[in-house]
Amino acid sequence: MIKLQGVCKSYGDEVTIGPVDLEIPRGGVTALVGPNGAGKSTLLTMMGRLLKPDAGSIEIGGHGVGTTPSKELARVVSILRQENHFITRLTVRQLVGFGRFPHTKGRLKPEDEEHVSRAIDFVDMHGLEHRYLDELSGGQRQRAYVAMVLAQDTEYLLLDEPLNNLDLRHSVQMMKHLKRAADELGRTIVIVVHDINFAGHYADRICAMKDGRIVEFGPADDVMTRDTLTRVFDTPVQMVEGPNGKLAVYY
Amino acid sequence: MAETAQAVDTTRESGPLPSPRARRRYAIVLASLIVLAVVFGAGLLVWDNPVPFGTAGFWKVAELRGTSIIVMGVVAVCQATATVSFQTVTNNRIVTPSIMGFESLYVAVQTSSVYFLGAAGILAVQGRIQFVLQIALMVGFSLLLYGWLLSGRFGSIHVMLLIGIVIGGGLGSVSAFMQRLLTPSEFDVLTARLFGNVSNANPDDLPVAIPLCIAAAALLWLRSRRLNVVALGRNVSTALGIRHRSEVMITLLLVSVLMAVSTALVGPMTFLGFLVATLAYQFADTYDHKRIFPIAVLIGFVVLAGSYFIMRHVFYAQGVVSIIIELIGGSVFLIVILRKGRL
C-alpha cells in the first residue's frame, strides 16, 4: 500500500501541490491523470524519493519514504522519470543490468543475468540488447529504461509517462505488459499517462489531479464519466461505447 | 524451448565488456599501454646518459631522472583519476576539475608570494610545510565551495561550477594585476613556476604527495561500482539506492585532494587531465570505472613521459613540457575524436 498524508510541495509563492492525502491499495495499475501542471509528476517523484516534500509523510509498503535508507527502499520501490541524462557509453543490456544494482551492488550473478534477460524480453528488445543507447530511437530508449526498472524487481513501480515516445504498437504492448506484471506478479504499479483512454482501458484505478490536488480517485469505470473528465480537463469530453468498453472523445 | 533458452543464455551477458572480442580488445589496449609506458620510462632513464654505462656516475644520473619519473607517475595518477571521477559526478565530459579554481588559486599563491616578498618569495612557498599548506588551502577552498553550494538551498552542481568559474576568473585577474607590477626579473622567476613542469617538483615533497595520491586514488578505485551508477544521473542513481549527494561530495573531496597534490607538486596541468580522460573513454570503450581508471592513468603516464622524451631528446627544449603536451596530445586528441566521431 502507498500511503500519503498531508504531502505538500510548493514552487515559489503561487504554485503549491497538496496537501495530498491518498491511499493506493496493493496490486493493480493506478493511473495518475490530469492537465499539464496539475502536479502528477511531482507527486510521483516525491513518492519515489527523488524530491523531498515540504511537509507530510509518504509510506510505501510499510517503509517510510525519507526515513528508510535509500538502499533498502531501492529493493521495494523503483521509479522512472521522463528525462534521463547519461554520459557513459552503455548498451541496452548493460543499462538493464544496472537495475540489479540494489540487489548485487554491481556484481552480476547468473540469476541476475536471467532477471535482465527476462526484463529485456518483456519489453521486446531481445534483438537490440547489444546496441548502444545512443544508437536507439527515443521510444526504444524509453523501453530500455522501463526494462531496467523491471529488472530491479521491486514490488512497487512508479513510472512517469512510460508511453512517452512510444508508437501505437509499443504503447499497447507496454500497457499490456504492465497490466500483466500487476495481475500475474502482484506488482503495484503507478503511472502517469496523458492518454485518458489508455488509462481507462488498462488501469484498475484512476487518480485525477488538478491544480495540485486530487479531485477524483476510484475504480477506472467510476472516473471515466463525461462530467468528471470534463471537469478535470476543462474540456468538453463525451463518452461513447467502444467495442472494448467506454471511450472518451474530446476532438 | 529450454534448450534454445540455454544456448542463448551463454551469449547474453551484461558485463562491462560483454563479448570476447571486447575483452580481447581491452587486453590489447592495456598491454600496449603498459609496453609504451615501460619503453618511455626506460628511455627517459637511460637514453643519452652522458656518463658511461655501469659507472657510479651513470647511476647517479639515472637516479635523478628516476625522481622525475616518479613525479610523472604521481601526476598521471592524480590528473587521470581526478578528471575521470569529476566528469562522472558532474555528468559532463567537457569540464575538468580545474574549473573549481585549483589552478587559479595556485597561480594566485605563487604570484602573491613573489609580489609581496620579491624574487626570494618563490623560495618562501617551497618546502614540505609550505607544500602541505598549499594542499590544505586548495582542499579547504574546494570544500568550502562544495559544502556551501551542494548542500543548502542551491544544491546544484551547475551553480557550483558556475561560481567556481567566477571565483577562478577573479583570482586569475588579481594574479594578472600583480604580475603586471612585478619587475621583469621577478616575473621571469615566477613564469617558470606557472607552466606545469615536472622539474618544478621538489623531491622533498614526494613523501607527502605519494601517500596522499595513492590513498585518494585507491578510494576512488574502490568506489568505482558506485561511480558507474552515479554516471547514470541523479534520478536514476537515487532510484537505484545510491545516496547521490553524499556520493558526489565524497568524490569531489577525493578529486580535490588529487588535484591539489598534482598542482602543488608541478603546477597547472589541466589539459593533460582532459586529454587523458577523453582518450581513456575512447580506448577503454566501457562504462566501468574499474577499467577506465587504469587505462587513463597509463595514458597519462605515456603522454607525460613521451612528451618529456621528445622534449629532451628531439627538441632539446628544457622546460615547458606543457606546450609539447598540448601540441602532440592535442593533435592525437583531434585525430581520435574526428575518426570516431563521438565523445
Side-chain angles (χ1 to χ4, degrees), chain A residues 28-50:
Chain A
V29 177
T30 304
L32 282 174
V33 301
N36 292 135
K40 310 177 294 289
S41 292
T42 305
L43 198 65
L44 196 83
T45 316
M46 286 193 289
M47 287 185 210
R49 57 129 158 48
L50 299 183

mmCIF file of all heavy atoms in Angstrom, chain A residues 28-50:
data_model
loop_
_atom_site.group_PDB
_atom_site.id
_atom_site.type_symbol
_atom_site.label_atom_id
_atom_site.label_comp_id
_atom_site.label_asym_id
_atom_site.label_seq_id
_atom_site.Cartn_x
_atom_site.Cartn_y
_atom_site.Cartn_z
ATOM 1 N N GLY A 28 -2.393 -4.081 -8.777
ATOM 2 C CA GLY A 28 -3.105 -3.351 -9.806
ATOM 3 C C GLY A 28 -2.334 -2.163 -10.338
ATOM 4 O O GLY A 28 -1.295 -1.773 -9.827
ATOM 5 N N VAL A 29 -2.892 -1.610 -11.420
ATOM 6 C CA VAL A 29 -2.295 -0.450 -12.057
ATOM 7 C C VAL A 29 -3.114 0.779 -11.686
ATOM 8 O O VAL A 29 -4.331 0.775 -11.820
ATOM 9 C CB VAL A 29 -2.272 -0.605 -13.598
ATOM 10 C CG1 VAL A 29 -1.724 0.639 -14.253
ATOM 11 C CG2 VAL A 29 -1.474 -1.829 -13.994
ATOM 12 N N THR A 30 -2.448 1.790 -11.175
ATOM 13 C CA THR A 30 -3.119 3.046 -10.872
ATOM 14 C C THR A 30 -2.586 4.108 -11.814
ATOM 15 O O THR A 30 -1.373 4.260 -11.939
ATOM 16 C CB THR A 30 -2.853 3.482 -9.428
ATOM 17 O OG1 THR A 30 -3.262 2.426 -8.563
ATOM 18 C CG2 THR A 30 -3.612 4.750 -9.088
ATOM 19 N N ALA A 31 -3.507 4.811 -12.483
ATOM 20 C CA ALA A 31 -3.070 5.843 -13.415
ATOM 21 C C ALA A 31 -3.292 7.211 -12.794
ATOM 22 O O ALA A 31 -4.359 7.484 -12.245
ATOM 23 C CB ALA A 31 -3.850 5.736 -14.723
ATOM 24 N N LEU A 32 -2.256 8.049 -12.866
ATOM 25 C CA LEU A 32 -2.399 9.446 -12.448
ATOM 26 C C LEU A 32 -2.696 10.254 -13.704
ATOM 27 O O LEU A 32 -1.892 10.250 -14.636
ATOM 28 C CB LEU A 32 -1.103 9.948 -11.819
ATOM 29 C CG LEU A 32 -0.779 9.560 -10.384
ATOM 30 C CD1 LEU A 32 0.612 10.031 -10.026
ATOM 31 C CD2 LEU A 32 -1.796 10.152 -9.440
ATOM 32 N N VAL A 33 -3.832 10.916 -13.744
ATOM 33 C CA VAL A 33 -4.173 11.718 -14.920
ATOM 34 C C VAL A 33 -4.460 13.147 -14.472
ATOM 35 O O VAL A 33 -4.639 13.417 -13.291
ATOM 36 C CB VAL A 33 -5.400 11.147 -15.671
ATOM 37 C CG1 VAL A 33 -5.137 9.738 -16.126
ATOM 38 C CG2 VAL A 33 -6.645 11.228 -14.804
ATOM 39 N N GLY A 34 -4.501 14.026 -15.451
ATOM 40 C CA GLY A 34 -4.802 15.414 -15.142
ATOM 41 C C GLY A 34 -4.130 16.317 -16.151
ATOM 42 O O GLY A 34 -3.261 15.877 -16.903
ATOM 43 N N PRO A 35 -4.519 17.586 -16.151
ATOM 44 C CA PRO A 35 -3.932 18.527 -17.109
ATOM 45 C C PRO A 35 -2.462 18.806 -16.797
ATOM 46 O O PRO A 35 -1.975 18.453 -15.729
ATOM 47 C CB PRO A 35 -4.782 19.795 -16.937
ATOM 48 C CG PRO A 35 -5.492 19.642 -15.654
ATOM 49 C CD PRO A 35 -5.562 18.194 -15.331
ATOM 50 N N ASN A 36 -1.784 19.465 -17.728
ATOM 51 C CA ASN A 36 -0.380 19.842 -17.504
ATOM 52 C C ASN A 36 -0.285 20.720 -16.271
ATOM 53 O O ASN A 36 -1.124 21.574 -16.045
ATOM 54 C CB ASN A 36 0.170 20.645 -18.686
ATOM 55 C CG ASN A 36 0.282 19.794 -19.933
ATOM 56 O OD1 ASN A 36 -0.099 20.216 -21.013
ATOM 57 N ND2 ASN A 36 0.784 18.602 -19.787
ATOM 58 N N GLY A 37 0.752 20.508 -15.498
ATOM 59 C CA GLY A 37 0.971 21.367 -14.339
ATOM 60 C C GLY A 37 0.079 21.041 -13.160
ATOM 61 O O GLY A 37 0.021 21.794 -12.203
ATOM 62 N N ALA A 38 -0.620 19.898 -13.234
ATOM 63 C CA ALA A 38 -1.513 19.561 -12.126
ATOM 64 C C ALA A 38 -0.731 19.016 -10.938
ATOM 65 O O ALA A 38 -1.230 18.977 -9.826
ATOM 66 C CB ALA A 38 -2.552 18.543 -12.588
ATOM 67 N N GLY A 39 0.502 18.571 -11.204
ATOM 68 C CA GLY A 39 1.317 18.047 -10.104
ATOM 69 C C GLY A 39 1.446 16.539 -10.099
ATOM 70 O O GLY A 39 1.899 15.967 -9.112
ATOM 71 N N LYS A 40 1.095 15.908 -11.208
ATOM 72 C CA LYS A 40 1.166 14.442 -11.260
ATOM 73 C C LYS A 40 2.599 13.952 -11.111
ATOM 74 O O LYS A 40 2.901 13.112 -10.266
ATOM 75 C CB LYS A 40 0.610 13.914 -12.609
ATOM 76 C CG LYS A 40 -0.732 14.448 -12.998
ATOM 77 C CD LYS A 40 -1.155 13.944 -14.359
ATOM 78 C CE LYS A 40 -0.310 14.418 -15.522
ATOM 79 N NZ LYS A 40 -0.431 15.812 -15.889
ATOM 80 N N SER A 41 3.471 14.516 -11.958
ATOM 81 C CA SER A 41 4.868 14.063 -11.922
ATOM 82 C C SER A 41 5.512 14.405 -10.597
ATOM 83 O O SER A 41 6.287 13.614 -10.043
ATOM 84 C CB SER A 41 5.660 14.709 -13.049
ATOM 85 O OG SER A 41 5.212 14.204 -14.278
ATOM 86 N N THR A 42 5.190 15.586 -10.068
ATOM 87 C CA THR A 42 5.768 15.985 -8.790
ATOM 88 C C THR A 42 5.370 14.995 -7.701
ATOM 89 O O THR A 42 6.216 14.561 -6.903
ATOM 90 C CB THR A 42 5.288 17.394 -8.414
ATOM 91 O OG1 THR A 42 5.596 18.258 -9.494
ATOM 92 C CG2 THR A 42 5.960 17.887 -7.162
ATOM 93 N N LEU A 43 4.106 14.621 -7.702
ATOM 94 C CA LEU A 43 3.625 13.688 -6.687
ATOM 95 C C LEU A 43 4.344 12.342 -6.815
ATOM 96 O O LEU A 43 4.823 11.771 -5.833
ATOM 97 C CB LEU A 43 2.108 13.506 -6.849
ATOM 98 C CG LEU A 43 1.397 12.923 -5.646
ATOM 99 C CD1 LEU A 43 1.484 13.881 -4.472
ATOM 100 C CD2 LEU A 43 -0.053 12.617 -5.973
ATOM 101 N N LEU A 44 4.446 11.879 -8.069
ATOM 102 C CA LEU A 44 5.112 10.602 -8.320
ATOM 103 C C LEU A 44 6.578 10.668 -7.901
ATOM 104 O O LEU A 44 7.117 9.748 -7.297
ATOM 105 C CB LEU A 44 5.000 10.251 -9.805
ATOM 106 C CG LEU A 44 5.296 8.802 -10.154
ATOM 107 C CD1 LEU A 44 4.063 7.954 -9.927
ATOM 108 C CD2 LEU A 44 5.760 8.664 -11.591
ATOM 109 N N THR A 45 7.207 11.798 -8.240
ATOM 110 C CA THR A 45 8.627 11.967 -7.913
ATOM 111 C C THR A 45 8.833 11.968 -6.406
ATOM 112 O O THR A 45 9.821 11.434 -5.907
ATOM 113 C CB THR A 45 9.127 13.291 -8.512
ATOM 114 O OG1 THR A 45 8.635 13.398 -9.833
ATOM 115 C CG2 THR A 45 10.623 13.340 -8.555
ATOM 116 N N MET A 46 7.889 12.566 -5.676
ATOM 117 C CA MET A 46 8.023 12.574 -4.220
ATOM 118 C C MET A 46 7.828 11.168 -3.657
ATOM 119 O O MET A 46 8.518 10.769 -2.722
ATOM 120 C CB MET A 46 7.009 13.547 -3.611
ATOM 121 C CG MET A 46 7.399 15.010 -3.831
ATOM 122 S SD MET A 46 6.461 16.165 -2.823
ATOM 123 C CE MET A 46 4.853 16.110 -3.575
ATOM 124 N N MET A 47 6.894 10.408 -4.249
ATOM 125 C CA MET A 47 6.709 9.017 -3.797
ATOM 126 C C MET A 47 7.996 8.234 -4.005
ATOM 127 O O MET A 47 8.360 7.390 -3.191
ATOM 128 C CB MET A 47 5.609 8.333 -4.608
ATOM 129 C CG MET A 47 4.204 8.771 -4.302
ATOM 130 S SD MET A 47 3.118 7.707 -5.280
ATOM 131 C CE MET A 47 1.747 8.786 -5.579
ATOM 132 N N GLY A 48 8.683 8.541 -5.091
ATOM 133 C CA GLY A 48 9.910 7.805 -5.408
ATOM 134 C C GLY A 48 11.142 8.414 -4.763
ATOM 135 O O GLY A 48 12.252 8.124 -5.173
ATOM 136 N N ARG A 49 10.984 9.309 -3.796
ATOM 137 C CA ARG A 49 12.031 9.966 -3.003
ATOM 138 C C ARG A 49 13.065 10.725 -3.844
ATOM 139 O O ARG A 49 14.168 11.017 -3.396
ATOM 140 C CB ARG A 49 12.735 8.984 -2.055
ATOM 141 C CG ARG A 49 13.394 7.746 -2.698
ATOM 142 C CD ARG A 49 14.767 7.466 -2.346
ATOM 143 N NE ARG A 49 15.204 6.106 -2.538
ATOM 144 C CZ ARG A 49 15.037 5.350 -3.613
ATOM 145 N NH1 ARG A 49 14.329 5.808 -4.653
ATOM 146 N NH2 ARG A 49 15.547 4.139 -3.682
ATOM 147 N N LEU A 50 12.699 11.071 -5.088
ATOM 148 C CA LEU A 50 13.614 11.885 -5.883
ATOM 149 C C LEU A 50 13.445 13.354 -5.535
ATOM 150 O O LEU A 50 14.271 14.183 -5.880
ATOM 151 C CB LEU A 50 13.374 11.679 -7.380
ATOM 152 C CG LEU A 50 13.574 10.269 -7.900
ATOM 153 C CD1 LEU A 50 13.380 10.219 -9.401
ATOM 154 C CD2 LEU A 50 14.951 9.745 -7.529
#
